[in-house]
Amino acid sequence: MPDRRRFLSSLGSTIGGTVLGSTLGLAPSASARPRDPSARPNVLFLSVDDINDWIGVYGGHPDTRTPHMDALAGRSTMFTRAYCSVPLCHPSRIATMTGRRPHNTAVYSAQVGWRDVIPDALHLAAHFRSNGYETLSAGKVYHWTDKFGEPGEPWLWDHQIAPPPPPHRWQNGPLNGIPDTGNFDWGAPPGVAEQDFPDHKVVDWCLDKLLAPRPRPFFLAAGLYKPHLAWYAPQRFFDAFPPASVTLPEIIENDLDDVPQLGIDMTERFSRIDHIRENGIWDDAVAAYLACIAFADHQVGRLLDGLAASPHADNTIVVLWSDHGYHLGEKLHWEKNALWEEATRIPLMIHVPEALGGPGSEPGGQVSERTVELVDLFPTLTDLCGLPTPPDLDGQSLAPLLADPHAAWDRPALSTWLYKNHSLRTERYRLIRYRDDTEELYDHETDPLEWTNLALDPAYDALRAHLGAQLPTFDRYVPLDTSLDPETGEAMELSSYPNPSAGPVTVEFILPEPSPVTITVLTVTGRRVRALTEAESFGRGRGQVEWDGRDDNGGRLPGGLYLCVVRTATTSETRRIILLP
């Protein structure tokens, strides 16, 4: 691998007629830019949807199989503390592609179209196009709800393919056999050949473009749909992860006892934990996520192998990123939509070929533990490609860290979820402040799973004040309908009790007709602790049963999150109860 000092000296200088931008994070001056735009590097901007740190080199899960992403990391700068701007697809991608944080734009969820709030925003691809680049797009680059970049929009893409995204619900019913869970489904779709999966088609199209001569430097944005739900992949990837043998994330049942109510509300509103526990399928779901990661990694390998065989290999910068992380039970939460580590941390790798002064293709790569953000990618790429950097970006060029991954970097990462809820991540601490000023504080040196909230400990008051002073002082307001799913904009019901409670808790239900009712209380690991009713007959109308917080043997249960399953002759509903100690 080239000496890092050589890498440092080469950034910001002319190499083979190409300028890689200033290592100081400043836009190159007009005189520093290459006179011949055709000499500028190409960019392959590769996103993998909804993937967390379950990648081999990141060490997030012992069972994962990602040889191709691991190999890319070995010839890249791998950022181990990279974070999204928003833990949700649409607003995260808008922040990434505009270089602007949501508290400045108000793009907090899929309900907010960027055209409505920042119609004049400069987008990354448009900036490259206006500076002489050919722009190409395949797959999920922007979130589908944004209706963005459709074929025929010449101001952004010169060429584009957007194969229909994978179905969110299988046409003949859920493949995993769990009814009424929307896109929370997984399996190998029957009769679908591997080459017919949308991600395979995305890579096929990109390979056609890479292997053909290009008229000028290109910016190619390729977006893989997996491992986003629904978790559909060819059967061979599921075969590699038998559910009975997968490793499950480590949790504690009282994890939410010290979390403020707004943090609890986020887990209740957007989590899948009720379906998981009620059906006893935690291992199946983890295996399905791993299978889709392996499928996505296979597509990454196909694309990178094609780039290596193309005439563009030595002059193409590769950026691999995800729009946000993902919970699979950690902190008693599933999916994203939270400000904790698993939802906000992302994989990020930047490969600069050896001919451009980077680590090249020799094994080893380099690792940076500095805290960086997705909004940093816009100024990084303009810097590396010798383009002017727009003045109103919220990010900062990562070129100094590509030159020296251990360079001084006093810049925490900021993540925002909905209006006025922020997380600030330093290399050691995470501070979360909700819109009601309640807080969480975690020390990742001693508590990497964020189990102990230090915010109420007076010993940390000075640290909280120091970190809190770095949070935004301005949050652009936009009205949001909280009854709608922030990702899809669809109506969503919240079927949880106003909590927490020390008991008794009144479990209510409404029957359109007389019916037997069975009410069972479970732990979050699916163990039954109390049967409140067993097929007890109730008349038409409103009914209720009280739970005193005790198990079937009369013992007082410890505080924490419990699931309450209410079954009638025709329905089954799971609610969540936070029991105080």
Side-chain angles (χ1 to χ4, degrees), residues 45-46 48 51-55 57-58 77-87 92 96 101 319-326 338-350 366-377 380 396 398 401-402 405 409 411-416 423-430 444 450:
F45 199 60
L46 173 57
V48 184
I51 192 170
N52 57 17
D53 66 352
W54 289 15
I55 298 172
V57 290
Y58 279 91
T77 301
M78 182 178 82
F79 293 89
T80 59
R81 291 191 177 101
Y83 295 89
C84 66
S85 299
V86 194
S92 174
T96 303
R101 291 175 174 143
V319 180
L320 185 143
W321 60 285
S322 180
D323 47 1
H324 47 71
Y326 207 87
L339 290 172
W340 297 312
E341 184 79 356
E342 287 78 11
T344 57
R345 185 173 176 231
I346 60 163
L348 176 61
M349 308 172 194
I350 300 178
Q366 54 187 18
V367 175
S368 178
E369 297 181 346
R370 301 297 183 245
T371 49
V372 301
E373 306 175 46
L374 282 176
V375 291
D376 295 330
L377 293 181
T380 299
Q396 182 169 308
L398 303 179
L401 297 179
L402 299 178
W409 187 264
R411 183 176 165 85
L414 178 70
S415 300
T416 299
S423 168
L424 191 80
R425 182 66 158 88
T426 70
E427 292 183 23
R428 178 170 177 177
Y429 295 101
R430 173 185 300 282
H444 273 255
E450 298 185 338

Side-chain angles (χ1 to χ4, degrees), residues 53-107:
D53 66 352
W54 289 15
I55 298 172
V57 290
Y58 279 91
H61 197 284
D63 303 334
T64 197
R65 301 182 187 181
T66 56
H68 303 292
M69 285 187 272
D70 294 347
L72 176 63
R75 55 183 187 270
S76 303
T77 301
M78 182 178 82
F79 293 89
T80 59
R81 291 191 177 101
Y83 295 89
C84 66
S85 299
V86 194
L88 188 69
C89 297
H90 165 73
S92 174
R93 289 167 183 266
I94 293 299
T96 303
M97 301 304 278
T98 63
R100 299 175 64 184
R101 291 175 174 143
H103 72 91
N104 287 325
T105 67
V107 181

Side-chain angles (χ1 to χ4, degrees), residues 550-567:
R550 298 182 181 275
D551 62 19
D552 283 330
N553 298 318
R556 173 70 183 181
L557 289 165
L561 174 65
Y562 292 85
L563 304 178
C564 181
V565 182
V566 181
R567 290 188 176 91

Side-chain angles (χ1 to χ4, degrees), residues 483-503:
S483 69
L484 301 182
D485 187 306
E487 182 168 22
T488 66
E490 298 174 353
M492 179 178 64
E493 295 181 359
L494 176 62
S495 58
S496 297
Y497 295 105
N499 287 309
S501 172

Side-chain angles (χ1 to χ4, degrees), residues 98-122:
T98 63
R100 299 175 64 184
R101 291 175 174 143
H103 72 91
N104 287 325
T105 67
V107 181
Y108 298 114
S109 78
Q111 296 181 39
V112 185
W114 69 267
R115 290 186 179 93
D116 298 326
V117 290
I118 48 170
D120 298 324
L122 178 62

